[in-house]
Amino acid sequence: MRRTRRLSGRSERQLPMCAIARFAAARACLNNVTGNFDPQRIALSRKDILLIQSDPKDAKAVREALNGSFQVDWVRTCSEGLQRLALERQNGRPAADAFGAVLVDLFLPDSQGIETFDQIFRALPEIPMLILSAEKDEDVAKLAVQRGAQDYLLKSRLDSYSLPKTLDSMVERAANAEALFDEKERAQVTLNSIGDAVMSTDVWGNITYLNVVAEHLTGWSGKEAAGRPLEDVFRIIDAATRATMENPMKLAMRENKTVGLTPNCVLIRRDGAETAIEDSAAPIHDRRGQVTGAVIVFRDVSAARALTVRMSYLAQHDSLTDLPNRTLFSDRLTEAIAMAQRYRRNLAVLYMDVDRFKHINDSLGHDVGDRLLQAIAVRLYACVRSSDTVSRQGGDEFVILLSEVTHVEDAGVIAEKILNALKTPYRIDDHDLHLTVSIGIASYPEDGAEAEALMKNADLAMYHAKDNGRNNYQFFQAEMNVRAVERQSVENGLRKAVGRQEFVLYYQPKMNLLTNAIVGVEALIRWRHPQRGLVPPAQFIPVAEQCGLIVPIGRWVIREACRQARAWQDAGLMPIRVAINISAVELHDKDFVATVRSILTETGLEPRYVEFELTETFLLQDSNSTSLVLRALKDLGVGLALDDFGTGYSSLSYLNRYPIDTLKIDRAFVRDITTDVDDASIVRAVISMGRSLHMRVVAEGVETQEQLAFLKQQSCPEAQGYYLNQPVEAEAFTRLLGRSVGDTAV
């Protein structure tokens, strides 16, 4: 059994079929192109011999010597011979097909000496020619052979052995030459037609052949390259190290086997340009199996290699922001932990989430949201060192690896820098976008010795930052794990609460401080948990916002509050305005306005008896989309109140920009109005401002007689708080409303 040749530890049979096919074709073609043609014996067809001879005796001697082995077509002059050849062409038959050889006496009546040969040879150089010569003219015959004749014979020595044998040999050589030419031509066309480059050398490593593709890739023409050392034409280096690589063709000849190019191989063109190539080289053998040279089939893989590099990059980077993705970040974090452990260093992970980003996507579209994420990525990158890593984990979540921190507190400095950098408004199209972020920080080794633990704890700290009002950062603390379990329990319970009708509304009156009459009511949601009892909103509303349940819960609140307000009116009680707190998530829901319109129609409550309370934090977000929603609500006829007034960044600017009806003085100012001069001044200013702008002013959080007295002294129109009335269920509020007297106008 023939031994299977090996390539890089694999048998040739294991090579891809396309590679085997290329080598087989290239080797077969190159055997022919480079002269190693080994045809089988060609069976000669009997062809006519054209004899150009003026002497009948000599012509007869030729016929007798051939003895019928060839058919002889005899003409007497050079011109007749040329006419005979031309006649075959006129009949559409190549003269070479009609005559196997031409026998000619160079001394004819119409042509003498070498001129006779030149005329006939110019007319048909492809037909082998045998010169018949007298001994005295032998020098002329030899000259004809030098110019292209196959051979010459002396007319005095013609016999039945030498002449047929000479003609047989001539015809066979001509047939072999023609077959070889055809094979070479086919091989040449084939090699120049394939997409791969093909190059061959002789056994000494000198170039013998380049096809058109090889000429293009090397920058050498076949004529210029022929005979040159392989290293002059085929210069290859390692793409990574730039070191010169051993030429695979010499290796193939030395080891007498097919060999592959080393990965990352780069070909240096004659002009210095570089091309990434790949493929293999193989030895060329003669009929005896001896190595006579080598062939290499190679191709330009620059585009494929660039695509591979690009695909590898995309597999490790976020396509939107171009930041490292989750996979690459995990690798870098694992590596950073190993380095920190080795050199006893600290590192920190900052887990960051954009507050209320979903609302921007829902209200302005994903295109604006994507561009905002790109802008955030740019600012984040500017906040850290080049040795640190900023990664987008997906959605609006980013993680920052501070690969080396001297003190854990240094991570807090970076977090503060990020908060300040990201709060500057973003201008995208016609939108001025304000946003805040929440950041959780976990450090190595205190908060985890492994990547997974650090990420988990940083994430927990981030949620703790959200629970603490957003727009801040929190360091991880062990008790956060307990809170995380608690939060998950709350979320699981919320998902069942709506269907189980576990929510209930409490109502807190708003009092007219001049008449002491109830003029409005604020609807406050409570969760009547089957195990925990009555759960206040502060313990579940933030969770509902984060897990996406706030929208269905909010719709239930609006529908129930409107239904109850209409029920009081149907019971004959005085109509009052019901105030409903609306979160940013709800207001940015694309169906919010349509939902409100539908609920008003369903319950039959007039829009003027509904007031939505909004926080200043919400108004800090995209001003254009916010204005559109608020205007749409005003067109419905509902009222709008600005809750927690005075706690935002630029409260006064909103009073002109948005259709606000009511200002609610935050309880933080009311609490200390009798003891803090600044808080008292703020409350006076808000009351005066509301009066000047014809807005209703409501002070919330009134808990003492002294606070109430101060507000009455400052002519504050309305107030609410535990001192006046605590929130109660609908039945209890019905009794309060029935006892209320005073101004019933809204």
Side-chain angles (χ1 to χ4, degrees), residues 360-647:
I360 295 175
N361 258 352
D362 292 344
S363 59
L364 301 181
H366 288 277
D367 179 63
V368 172
D370 287 348
R371 290 159 64 190
L372 179 59
L373 289 173
Q374 291 170 336
I376 291 172
V378 172
R379 295 191 189 183
L380 281 177
Y381 194 78
C383 289
V384 300
R385 303 163 300 186
S386 59
S387 59
D388 299 327
T389 298
V390 178
S391 165
R392 181 183 177 221
Q393 298 288 292
D396 59 336
E397 293 182 341
F398 296 82
V399 181
I400 299 96
L401 167 62
L402 304 180
S403 57
E404 184 177 355
V405 292
T406 305
H407 305 288
V408 176
E409 293 75 14
D410 295 342
V413 175
I414 298 298
E416 188 66 42
K417 183 178 180 181
I418 291 172
L419 291 174
N420 292 329
L422 299 187
K423 74 179 182 181
T424 303
Y426 299 79
R427 182 70 177 177
I428 298 180
D429 294 337
D430 296 328
H431 306 287
D432 288 318
L433 303 178
H434 299 258
L435 60 82
T436 60
V437 298
S438 300
I439 303 174
I441 304 173
S443 62
Y444 171 88
E446 289 82 2
D447 301 328
E450 297 179 351
E452 184 178 355
L454 282 175
M455 291 287 286
K456 175 185 175 183
N457 291 338
D459 189 28
L460 287 175
M462 182 271 291
Y463 277 109
H464 188 62
K466 284 187 176 293
D467 292 341
N468 279 269
R470 300 183 175 88
N471 192 32
N472 70 96
Y473 66 89
Q474 297 289 327
F475 286 96
F476 172 76
Q477 297 174 2
E479 57 267 23
M480 290 180 182
N481 280 309
V482 177
R483 284 196 291 271
V485 174
E486 171 68 15
R487 181 189 177 280
Q488 187 62 48
S489 175
V490 170
E491 180 178 333
N492 293 338
L494 283 175
R495 296 188 182 280
K496 304 173 184 177
V498 175
R500 293 178 177 178
Q501 299 182 340
E502 294 175 0
F503 292 116
V504 62
L505 289 185
Y506 274 54
Y507 299 91
Q508 185 175 41
K510 295 182 180 180
M511 309 297 296
N512 184 307
L513 296 187
L514 181 62
T515 65
N516 292 325
I518 297 176
V519 292
V521 63
E522 181 176 359
L524 302 169
I525 189 173
R526 300 289 187 270
W527 180 12
R528 190 168 279 130
H529 194 279
Q531 284 82 39
R532 305 180 186 207
L534 204 61
V535 181
Q539 294 183 18
F540 66 87
I541 290 298
V543 178
E545 289 183 342
Q546 293 166 14
C547 69
L549 292 173
I550 193 62
V551 172
I553 292 174
R555 288 179 180 177
W556 178 87
V557 171
I558 297 172
R559 180 174 287 103
E560 178 61 20
C562 290
R563 183 201 64 76
Q564 184 60 64
R566 178 65 189 184
W568 286 325
Q569 292 181 19
D570 291 344
L573 300 174
M574 64 178 183
I576 58 173
R577 179 183 289 107
V578 59
I580 305 169
N581 290 283
I582 300 297
S583 73
V585 180
E586 295 174 80
L587 206 62
H588 273 137
D589 182 73
K590 59 184 177 62
D591 297 325
F592 181 74
V593 176
T595 299
V596 172
R597 183 186 296 110
S598 175
I599 290 174
L600 290 173
T601 301
E602 174 190 331
T603 59
L605 183 65
E606 295 181 41
R608 64 193 182 109
Y609 294 117
V610 176
E611 182 175 70
F612 290 128
E613 294 189 359
L614 316 169
T615 63
E616 286 191 80
T617 304
F618 164 72
L619 298 182
L620 280 170
Q621 299 180 36
D622 176 47
S623 57
N624 291 339
S625 64
T626 299
S627 179
L628 291 174
V629 175
L630 297 185
R631 293 290 176 188
L633 290 173
K634 286 299 295 182
D635 290 343
L636 284 181
V638 302
L640 299 174
L642 188 57
D643 200 5
D644 304 332
F645 184 72
T647 61

Side-chain angles (χ1 to χ4, degrees), residues 223-368:
K223 183 180 295 186
E224 292 176 309
R228 285 184 173 271
L230 179 62
E231 290 75 9
D232 290 354
V233 178
F234 192 65
R235 295 173 53 210
I236 52 176
I237 63 172
D238 186 282
T241 65
R242 310 297 295 177
T244 300
M245 300 173 61
E246 181 180 10
N247 200 292
M249 298 176 75
K250 289 192 172 182
L251 181 62
M253 287 189 289
R254 186 170 67 245
E255 299 189 3
N256 194 18
K257 68 178 183 179
T258 299
V259 298
L261 292 180
T262 305
N264 298 322
C265 184
V266 171
L267 171 66
I268 307 298
R269 272 174 52 97
R270 189 178 186 181
D271 60 6
E274 298 184 4
T275 304
I277 62 170
E278 68 176 25
D279 226 315
S280 299
I284 298 175
H285 301 93
D286 61 15
R287 286 176 294 175
R288 296 176 297 278
Q290 297 299 312
V291 174
T292 61
V295 56
I296 184 170
V297 182
F298 58 99
R299 52 198 165 94
D300 182 355
V301 293
S302 300
R305 194 168 294 175
L307 179 61
T308 300
V309 172
R310 179 60 179 165
M311 293 299 292
S312 176
Y313 181 87
L314 291 177
Q316 296 182 317
H317 290 78
D318 174 51
S319 59
L320 178 64
T321 63
D322 214 32
L323 294 175
N325 62 12
R326 186 188 302 270
T327 301
L328 181 55
F329 182 85
S330 178
D331 291 343
R332 290 189 179 178
L333 178 55
T334 300
E335 181 180 351
I337 290 174
M339 295 296 290
Q341 183 179 26
R342 179 181 302 175
Y343 296 106
R344 299 181 180 277
R345 297 193 301 227
N346 297 322
L347 63 82
V349 173
L350 281 63
Y351 207 112
M352 190 196 87
D353 184 86
V354 181
D355 298 329
R356 302 185 176 92
F357 178 78
K358 183 177 183 297
H359 320 319
I360 295 175
N361 258 352
D362 292 344
S363 59
L364 301 181
H366 288 277
D367 179 63
V368 172

